[in-house]
Amino acid sequence: MSAQDWLPRISLLISLAVPLGIFIGRHWMKARLEKGVQHRFDLKIEEMRADLRESEERLKSALRDRESEIAILRNVVLAASSGRQALLDKRRFEAVECIWRAVNDMAQLKGLSSMMAIMNVKEVAKEVGDPRMQQLLSMIGAGTPNISDLPNIARNERPFLPELTWAYFTAYSTILYGNLAVYKTLAAGVKDFEKYLKRDGSKEILKEALPHQSKWIDDSSPEAYHYLLDELENNLLLELRKILNGVETDAAEITKARKILNAVNQAVEEKEKAVAEMKMNV
């Protein structure tokens, strides 16, 4: 075959080969590029996964450390709370002991209080200037301790006691110290003692402490409140035993206690006003 016959064929082959080569080259390049991109992408993904795993491990480690810290803190708080509760319970038991000791100390005033309960105080007041009445009063008060000799061991115990316990104790002491104040006033020769020793405050305290006795309290003289001592003492003892047994004060008892203590505050204001008036008239 002559060269002239090959040239068209060669031209045809070239014309076919060039597009085919371009096509093949294009797809090969595309596949190569895609493979290169995929490889880099896979490397990035694996790198990100490694970073995520590392971050996850760091987070887990941090969480474990935090949980350990929280557990330690919880144990410290619980230990401190337990220790504080133990100290508070111990202090409450001491307060119970102090209150009951104070009740026993005030028992020294019961004899005088019982005498005041049966005495016609108003009639006695009319005769306080008579030496014979003063001699009688001296005999009645013989053996009664001075108020300064009675240690006030209960005054620091209020923060450690339920309000109702303190309220009953206050009501109880109000009767004894009230009758003692009447006796001291009469013994001092003060005729118009009622002007200075107003007992309405004591009446309201006792009516709040023993509401079922309200009518009797209204109908009785303040000196006769002595006959409520046993009931108040029993109520106080019951509240002290609740403390020792760990019984919590309920809402009704808290409300009752606040009413008693409000009456106590009013009585204190009444007493301070009366003392001021007495000083002005001296």
Side-chain angles (χ1 to χ4, degrees), residues 89 92-93 95-97 99-100 161-162 164-166 168 230 232-249 253:
D89 288 341
R92 283 175 176 168
F93 293 161
V96 168
E97 182 181 1
I99 290 295
W100 196 245
L161 297 169
L164 187 57
T165 304
W166 185 256
Y168 279 137
D230 287 343
L232 286 171
E233 185 174 322
N234 288 334
N235 288 353
L236 175 59
L237 182 58
L238 178 62
E239 294 304 314
L240 292 175
R241 283 174 175 164
K242 286 182 179 179
I243 298 173
L244 297 177
N245 293 328
V247 178
E248 296 293 333
T249 305
E253 291 174 334

Side-chain angles (χ1 to χ4, degrees), residues 23-220:
F23 177 78
I24 293 172
R26 181 185 299 168
H27 282 276
W28 177 82
M29 185 64 68
K30 180 181 179 183
R32 187 69 179 268
L33 289 173
E34 287 178 350
K35 187 175 181 180
V37 171
Q38 183 67 41
H39 179 68
R40 288 193 296 273
F41 182 75
D42 290 341
L43 290 177
K44 284 290 185 183
I45 291 293
E46 190 59 34
E47 184 179 344
M48 290 175 63
R49 285 175 178 171
D51 290 340
L52 286 174
R53 284 193 295 270
E54 186 178 351
S55 298
E56 184 179 1
E57 289 301 321
R58 287 199 300 268
L59 180 59
K60 287 181 179 179
S61 177
L63 289 175
R64 285 193 296 270
D65 292 341
R66 185 61 57 86
E67 288 175 356
S68 177
E69 291 174 359
I70 292 174
I72 293 173
L73 181 60
R74 185 188 300 116
N75 291 336
V76 169
V77 171
L78 289 175
S81 177
S82 177
R84 184 170 62 250
Q85 187 62 45
L87 290 174
L88 182 57
D89 288 341
K90 181 177 181 294
R91 189 62 183 82
R92 283 175 176 168
F93 293 161
E94 292 174 353
V96 168
E97 182 181 1
C98 285
I99 290 295
W100 196 245
R101 191 185 310 153
V103 170
N104 290 332
D105 288 340
M106 285 188 292
Q108 301 175 70
L109 301 175
K110 276 188 173 182
L112 176 64
S113 180
S114 66
M115 293 299 296
M116 301 304 297
I118 62 177
M119 182 185 296
N120 190 331
V121 175
K122 292 183 179 180
E123 292 300 319
V124 172
K126 296 176 183 179
E127 305 295 333
V128 292
D130 189 328
R132 291 174 296 178
M133 180 58 71
Q134 285 298 315
Q135 185 178 6
L136 176 62
L137 289 171
S138 179
M139 292 174 59
I140 291 173
T144 301
N146 292 324
I147 192 169
S148 58
D149 294 333
L150 294 176
N152 192 1
I153 60 175
R155 63 184 177 183
N156 296 326
E157 308 308 318
R158 185 174 181 179
F160 307 100
L161 297 169
E163 288 185 333
L164 187 57
T165 304
W166 185 256
Y168 279 137
F169 174 76
T170 304
Y172 182 86
S173 58
T174 294
I175 295 175
L176 291 173
Y177 285 121
N179 279 344
L180 176 62
V182 172
Y183 169 77
K184 290 291 187 182
T185 306
L186 293 175
V190 180
K191 292 184 178 181
D192 52 349
F193 75 96
E194 289 184 309
K195 180 179 179 181
Y196 305 109
L197 293 179
K198 299 175 182 179
R199 307 291 294 278
D200 289 343
S202 298
K203 176 188 292 187
E204 295 306 315
I205 292 171
L206 296 173
K207 287 170 69 174
E208 294 294 351
L210 304 172
H212 60 286
Q213 298 282 17
S214 292
K215 186 177 186 307
W216 183 89
I217 293 170
D218 284 333
D219 295 340
S220 302

